[in-house]
Amino acid sequence: MSATAPALVFPPLAVVDGNQLLQSLPLPVLALDGENRIRFANAAAAQFLGLAPLGRLLVDIFPADSPLFTLLAQARVEGTSVADREMAIEAPALGRRLIAVDVAPIPDREAWLSLTLQERSFTGRLDEALTRRGATRAMGTLAAVLAHEVKNPLSGVRGAAQLLEPGLDEAGRSLTHLICEEVDRVVALVDRMESFTDEHPIEFGPVNIHRVLDHVRKIAEAGFARRRRFVCDYDPSLPPVLGNRDLLVQLFLNLVKNAAEATEEGSGVITLSTRYQVGLKLSEPDGGRRYLPLMITVQDNGSGIPDALRHCLFDPFASGKPGGKGLGLALVAKLVADHGGLIELASEPRRTQFRVLLPKAAEEEQA
Ligand SMILES: Nc1ncnc2c1ncn2[C@@H]1O[C@H](COP(=O)(O)OP(=O)(O)O)[C@@H](O)[C@H]1O
Ligand SMILES: [Mg+2]
């Protein structure tokens, strides 16, 4: 910017009318009073519900046994915000839909709640998680085929090269070495893919995630993340994760490795943080509920995710690096899924965040 350019002046914030702001939001937002009567609805909500909702009771729109009402009651009882990322609803005005629901108490209004509804395709999150699971399964089959059809013959190739060696001159021997090295490289690749098919039952127990993160940081500092600065921002009261220690190390090692590779020596900063987050619940296919209150974030100040990779980031073989295998995040997605967790991405240049949501160990498991 030239030195003569006028400074940007923003009007005072009070000029933005909160009501206008809510009306312009593309997200359906409702306010409900203690009887679940709709006292406010923005334009997106009216459109979503396909009717003029103001003043109506929610039970006139949704059947009384809808899980929506359980969630509303829970928010009132607990006095906190609650969410369901995948709620199946059925209503005469809406038909059958899968939606993501967020409910939060409105301060200063006894029993009033704000309610936001999003078509699930908007949130995309679970769709993605499920696709990822599908991708890792496909990968498992592929690995099994490769192990059988490629790895076994390769050991024959390697053996044959070694048998040839004694009769060869220097130049010939350097070629047999090359054969062995390349065979080893392919076998290592197949081995890595095979870890996707690992069907051994995983042992889960209470794991101190801060110890896992510190361990990962030490490995990283000693090797691939030299000359990157680490910032640890831990919630000291965080309860243990329900997980498998070794797999969690593998998971976070992959995220930290990517963070290191996206940053420059000297200026790279990798932040590891943990938070307790009330409210995020997932519906299970069997109708049960899953809570994922532990949030672990790996953030870096590097290049950001390349646009071309955003839609397939967690797919096997998607890589933006010369020589990259593109298996790191596919494995991360599998490990997160094995833990019943979720992974979310927020990326802009100089600020890339992978947020991993995990379940906590039950009290009796901790004891
Ligand atoms: N923290 C990050 N910052 C920028 N890009 C990233 C980050 N993590 C992953 N990526 C991108 O995602 C791609 C896939 O990552 P991954 O599956 O670990 O495979 P690989 O690291 O072998 O390329 C990377 O090549 C990179 O382009
Ligand atoms: Mg990687």
Side-chain angles (χ1 to χ4, degrees):
M1 204 188 278
S2 86
T4 54
L8 279 177
V9 179
F10 293 101
L13 260 184
V15 171
V16 181
D17 174 24
N19 190 40
Q20 272 176 13
L21 185 68
L22 276 172
Q23 288 298 352
S24 70
L25 263 187
L27 176 73
V29 181
L30 301 164
L32 306 172
D33 66 15
E35 288 177 80
N36 288 332
R37 188 179 292 281
I38 299 173
R39 296 299 201 97
F40 170 87
N42 68 354
Q47 198 183 14
F48 182 80
L49 297 172
L51 40 83
L54 223 55
R56 279 173 173 259
L57 282 171
L58 212 59
V59 277
D60 295 340
I61 304 174
F62 296 96
D65 61 353
S66 165
L68 188 57
F69 293 102
T70 321
L71 205 65
L72 293 169
Q74 193 193 349
R76 286 202 180 92
V77 170
E78 293 175 8
T80 61
S81 54
V82 288
D84 189 329
R85 292 281 159 243
E86 193 188 40
M87 182 183 284
I89 54 159
E90 194 161 8
L94 299 172
R96 275 178 69 89
R97 292 202 196 181
L98 273 180
I99 54 172
V101 183
D102 279 277
V103 182
I106 300 179
D108 303 333
R109 297 259 179 170
E110 176 80 35
W112 280 45
L113 297 172
S114 71
L115 169 64
T116 59
L117 309 164
Q118 289 184 76
E119 191 81 55
R120 206 192 58 151
S121 57
F122 252 117
T123 69
R125 205 149 73 159
L126 276 165
D127 276 343
E128 277 171 35
L130 290 176
T131 328
R132 262 173 242 154
R133 231 172 281 176
T136 49
R137 228 186 337 246
M139 173 99 160
T141 319
L142 184 59
V145 172
L146 282 182
H148 193 254
E149 300 299 321
V150 176
K151 227 169 100 176
N152 297 345
L154 278 180
S155 66
V157 172
R158 197 183 200 286
Q162 281 174 326
L163 280 178
L164 280 175
E165 232 173 55
L168 294 175
D169 60 7
E170 194 57 34
R173 270 205 297 277
S174 88
L175 288 178
T176 54
H177 279 156
L178 187 68
I179 293 174
C180 290
E181 263 174 42
E182 288 299 282
V183 164
D184 290 346
R185 198 174 60 79
V186 176
V187 169
L189 176 65
V190 175
D191 282 344
R192 245 187 327 253
M193 289 179 61
E194 266 189 301
S195 63
F196 285 82
T197 31
D198 211 342
E199 294 293 341
H200 298 301
I202 303 169
E203 278 188 34
F204 291 106
V207 178
N208 179 329
I209 199 68
H210 297 147
R211 281 207 205 121
V212 168
L213 294 175
D214 283 338
H215 182 70
V216 166
R217 178 176 53 81
K218 276 188 205 129
I219 300 174
E221 281 174 336
F224 58 80
R226 254 182 247 131
R227 309 213 45 232
R228 279 14 170 234
R229 190 158 65 84
F230 276 84
V231 176
C232 296
D233 176 13
Y234 296 162
D235 173 353
S237 64
L238 202 78
V241 169
L242 179 60
N244 177 288
R245 188 250 174 207
D246 290 353
L247 297 183
L248 289 170
V249 168
Q250 204 181 4
L251 193 170
F252 288 102
L253 205 52
N254 271 289
L255 291 179
V256 169
K257 185 153 192 288
N258 282 341
E261 286 166 356
T263 54
E264 304 283 334
E265 278 195 14
S267 63
V269 182
I270 300 172
T271 308
L272 305 176
S273 50
T274 61
R275 288 282 173 278
Y276 194 82
Q277 187 192 258
V278 257
L280 182 68
K281 284 198 298 184
L282 291 176
S283 310
E284 297 276 31
D286 64 6
R289 294 279 155 147
R290 181 149 50 93
Y291 294 81
L292 301 173
L294 307 186
M295 180 160 87
I296 301 107
T297 308
V298 177
Q299 180 179 320
D300 67 72
N301 63 344
S303 52
I305 306 290
D307 280 340
L309 279 183
R310 274 172 187 267
H311 68 285
C312 61
L313 199 63
F314 292 90
D315 291 351
F317 308 119
S319 176
K321 296 168 197 165
K325 300 282 186 298
L327 291 178
L329 288 179
L331 185 61
V332 164
K334 178 181 190 298
L335 294 173
V336 171
D338 286 345
H339 280 81
L342 273 185
I343 182 161
E344 300 180 324
L345 164 71
S347 172
E348 47 193 90
R350 310 289 139 227
R351 189 166 167 279
T352 301
Q353 276 194 345
F354 283 89
R355 290 193 286 258
V356 179
L357 305 172
L358 293 172
K360 72 167 178 173
E363 318 278 308
E364 62 269 24
E365 276 160 330
Q366 294 173 39

